[in-house]
Amino acid sequence: PPDQLPQDPTKKTIVVLGSGWGATSLLKNIDTEEYNVVVISPHNYFLFTPLLPSVTVGTLDGRSIVQPTRHTTRFKTREVKVYEADCEYVDPINKTVTFEDRSEVKGSVSKVTIPYDYLVYSVGTENQTFGIEGVKKHACFLKELSDAEKIRARLIDCVESAAIKGQSEEEIDRLLHMVVVGGGPTGIEYAAELRDFVESDLIRWYPEVANKLRVTLVEALPNILPMFSQTLIKYTESTFKENSIDILTKHMVKDVDERDVLVKTPSGEEKKIPYGLLVWAAGNTARPLTRQLMAALPEHQKNRRGLEVDDHMRLKGAEDSVFALGDATATHFAPTAQAASQQGAYLARVFNQLARLQVLEDKLAASKKAGADASELSGIERQIEKAAKIRPFKYSHQGSLAYIGSEKAIADIPLLGNNQIASGGVVTFMFWRSAYVSMLFSLRNRSLVAADWFKVFLFGRDVSRE
Ligand code: FAD
Ligand code: NAD
């Protein structure tokens, strides 16, 4: 790394909570010359979530889609501190955060409180379980890298157990039933990757079990993928049908135990569905830390979905010092990487502008002290007036993309006015791949992802359990 300026106690401190889409986009774009930046996140890396479903079946290696946060901050003008820890308390009144090192290896210090001048709150969300106890106990989620690796191991376990000599037919049926809850893009993309794995790899190595493996997607609403156009919903449904993925719409999961999910069918009856692997992709909910921050500002924070911010991403009730972005906020933008990264880049511009403002204000004070003439002072004042005008955040929708299996993807791309192109198929899949490769933050990740795809093309996916 190049020589960096050390942190400077006379400069303002920005504490960034999180190392996901919002935080990383901010870190990439911020000029740190005028700030001390501190990043706190339980993961010391950024995870490229759009390709996470590919890790569940080994199309991609998990390492290929993560970027250490220190890689992002190493070329910054001033040193950025990165702490791998969980923030466990935010005090928006006294402007402090308390964080804890929860790793198994502990030193003499584990809990620390530090002050901030500005806080960037970008901790995302956790999985919505609707209070169903069995979900946390028995289902797999798909949010973190470790979730994808757990799904992969669990899938292979089911296949290997089903192949054990003497296993009863009923048990084979259960073990080889993969149930996905949630027909949003996470559930759809996971089911698609799973089907690819069965068709291309499992069939070669476990022919006797692969033919018996079933995939069922359960969705409470009347249709899947509500954010896509009707044509693409239909196209996805027919592609899933061709690939023998059963879609049960208007089926609401009410309970989960070790072996069965209990669903309410459209006719109102309750039915048990046995499963071997259950992937829960039923959406997001606010993290406990977010709820606690809301509770600290009860007059201003009343939305259960998440933090309320103004059009400059300032937290209502703490506008002078806290900015919140991404999934942790309750705005009219969908909780997507696209929105979070645009908000992160916007906030970086805001901080860069605030730094310019500070430099001009210091210059004005120094000029006044040195007895500068009126025209010089009014020149600086005009510059200050310009720098003080901060524009609100504006979202630019680039379209929605999703992988639906068998080398097919769907895309809703906005055109001028209110028009949009809805496209699905193999060409869209090529577009999907190239779009995501170009969006990966570094050459290192692009090379690793391209190499993984090439490896799978040559040798197929690895079916050994990690
Ligand atoms: P995140 O990216 O979730 O980052 C949150 C960060 O906070 C993480 O680094 C986490 O470690 C950290 N954190 C958690 N708790 C604490 C704590 N207590 N203290 C400090 N830090 C903490 N969106 C798209 O636009 N296109 C896609 O194709 C797409 N595909 C997706 C596929 C999957 C499988 C998933 C799960 C999501 C996908 N999304 C996609 C949605 C997208 O990932 C999210 O909208 C995006 O990650 C939100 O960014 P964020 O910065 O708000 O939160
Ligand atoms: P989601 O909220 O989009 O979908 C969850 C689905 O689960 C909903 O359709 C809901 O009706 C269903 N559901 C909830 N409870 C249920 C129950 N008990 N029984 C049956 N069905 C139930 O969640 P997601 O798919 O994880 O997506 C989260 C966000 O991330 C969204 O904004 C999405 O756009 C974004 N994302 C985008 C992509 C992409 O663009 N390719 C991929 C993944 C995620």
Side-chain angles (χ1 to χ4, degrees):
D3 285 344
Q4 290 181 315
L5 296 168
Q7 294 219 331
D8 175 352
T10 66
K11 307 265 177 211
K12 287 194 167 149
T13 296
I14 302 174
V15 172
V16 181
L17 296 184
S19 55
W21 277 97
T24 304
S25 168
L26 170 101
L27 291 171
K28 271 183 66 192
N29 291 290
I30 194 167
D31 179 355
T32 54
E33 177 141 10
E34 296 302 323
Y35 298 106
N36 300 311
V37 178
V38 179
V39 185
I40 300 165
S41 175
H43 299 106
N44 68 356
Y45 57 78
F46 162 74
L47 170 66
F48 190 85
T49 47
L51 292 176
L52 187 61
S54 300
V55 177
T56 60
V57 291
T59 313
L60 293 179
D61 186 85
R63 295 281 115 202
S64 305
I65 60 162
V66 301
Q67 163 154 305
T69 301
R70 285 178 174 81
H71 282 201
T72 313
T73 60
R74 75 187 149 165
F75 292 115
K76 293 284 148 189
T77 331
R78 190 176 297 286
E79 183 199 6
V80 174
K81 298 265 184 220
V82 181
Y83 297 124
E84 191 193 53
D86 282 68
C87 176
E88 61 164 39
Y89 187 64
V90 175
D91 180 345
I93 315 298
N94 296 306
K95 299 188 187 170
T96 61
V97 293
T98 302
F99 57 93
E100 186 174 17
D101 172 12
R102 296 206 180 134
S103 71
E104 281 170 23
V105 181
K106 287 217 167 64
S108 58
V109 177
S110 65
K111 206 181 263 197
V112 184
T113 298
I114 56 168
Y116 62 80
D117 296 293
Y118 296 114
L119 178 71
V120 175
Y121 190 90
S122 174
V123 305
T125 48
E126 62 178 26
N127 297 290
Q128 173 65 277
T129 59
F130 304 98
I132 306 173
E133 285 295 315
V135 174
K136 276 200 183 120
K137 263 199 205 144
H138 308 295
C140 296
F141 297 115
L142 186 48
K143 204 176 233 328
E144 316 281 358
L145 185 55
S146 54
D147 295 334
E149 284 159 355
K150 182 174 163 195
I151 291 176
R152 187 171 173 202
R154 175 87 199 218
L155 171 66
I156 301 294
D157 278 349
C158 287
V159 170
E160 290 289 2
S161 297
I164 295 267
K165 186 171 167 17
Q167 200 71 265
S168 72
E169 279 305 314
E170 191 192 349
E171 203 52 0
I172 291 174
D173 237 33
R174 179 184 74 81
L175 287 165
L176 296 179
H177 191 201
M178 312 301 160
V179 175
V180 183
V181 180
T186 303
I188 293 292
E189 290 191 326
Y190 171 64
E193 292 280 351
L194 175 57
R195 203 65 235 176
D196 282 2
F197 177 60
V198 175
E199 294 297 317
S200 329
D201 303 277
L202 223 49
I203 207 96
R204 278 167 68 194
W205 304 109
Y206 302 84
E208 70 289 1
V209 290
N211 288 324
K212 293 181 184 160
L213 192 142
R214 292 175 300 134
V215 183
T216 302
L217 187 122
V218 185
E219 167 56 56
L221 297 176
N223 58 266
I224 55 167
L225 294 175
M227 65 291 289
F228 282 88
S229 51
Q230 271 305 320
T231 340
L232 293 181
I233 293 174
K234 291 267 165 302
Y235 181 71
T236 307
E237 283 172 350
S238 69
T239 305
F240 270 32
K241 202 168 179 188
E242 275 167 31
N243 289 339
S244 316
I245 300 174
D246 285 332
I247 301 179
L248 301 178
T249 50
K250 298 188 193 161
H251 281 65
M252 163 87 87
V253 174
K254 304 296 269 181
D255 206 358
V256 170
D257 68 23
E258 218 180 338
R259 302 166 68 89
D260 302 288
V261 288
L262 183 74
V263 294
K264 192 166 170 201
T265 65
S267 63
E269 288 161 32
E270 293 199 336
K271 191 171 101 182
K272 275 187 171 182
I273 305 180
Y275 69 87
L277 168 67
L278 176 63
V279 173
W280 187 264
N284 300 331
T285 189
R287 289 188 188 277
L289 185 70
T290 307
R291 288 188 217 283
Q292 184 221 83
L293 179 55
M294 286 157 78
L297 302 165
E299 294 289 300
H300 307 271
Q301 295 293 333
K302 295 187 170 141
N303 191 330
R304 286 171 56 85
R305 270 199 310 130
L307 297 171
E308 289 197 55
V309 289
D310 67 11
D311 58 1
H312 286 70
M313 308 312 299
R314 292 177 295 216
L315 184 73
K316 291 191 180 166
E319 285 87 347
D320 66 326
S321 54
V322 184
F323 296 87
L325 63 157
D327 288 6
T329 58
T331 60
H332 56 277
F333 311 115
T336 60
Q338 211 180 135
S341 64
Q342 289 183 27
Q343 289 164 349
Y346 162 80
L347 265 194
R349 287 197 297 276
V350 170
F351 281 123
N352 295 348
Q353 199 170 335
L354 289 175
R356 272 201 302 282
L357 189 62
Q358 185 66 54
V359 168
L360 287 168
E361 279 168 353
D362 292 349
K363 189 173 162 192
L364 183 67
S367 303
K368 275 184 182 162
K369 214 170 164 191
D373 62 33
S375 74
E376 191 187 329
L377 293 181
S378 73
I380 305 174
E381 274 161 2
R382 271 199 305 278
Q383 286 178 340
I384 289 182
E385 210 176 297
K386 209 170 146 205
K389 278 191 194 135
I390 295 177
R391 295 211 183 113
F393 170 69
K394 209 162 163 248
Y395 174 66
S396 152
H397 187 60
Q398 305 294 305
S400 306
L401 264 176
Y403 181 60
I404 60 166
S406 324
E407 305 205 329
K408 288 178 185 165
I410 51 171
D412 265 330
I413 310 287
L415 294 175
L416 285 178
N418 281 333
N419 304 323
Q420 58 177 22
I421 303 181
S423 105
V426 178
V427 175
T428 317
F429 168 68
M430 301 310 287
F431 173 68
W432 176 86
R433 275 201 160 177
S434 50
Y436 283 145
V437 166
S438 69
M439 270 182 235
L440 279 161
F441 282 174
S442 70
L443 178 63
R444 174 183 158 274
N445 289 112
R446 279 184 214 129
S447 319
L448 291 174
V449 165
D452 286 350
W453 281 335
F454 191 56
K455 266 194 292 185
V456 167
F457 171 74
L458 285 182
F459 308 116
R461 296 170 187 83
D462 182 353
V463 292
S464 55
R465 189 194 191 285
E466 282 179 33

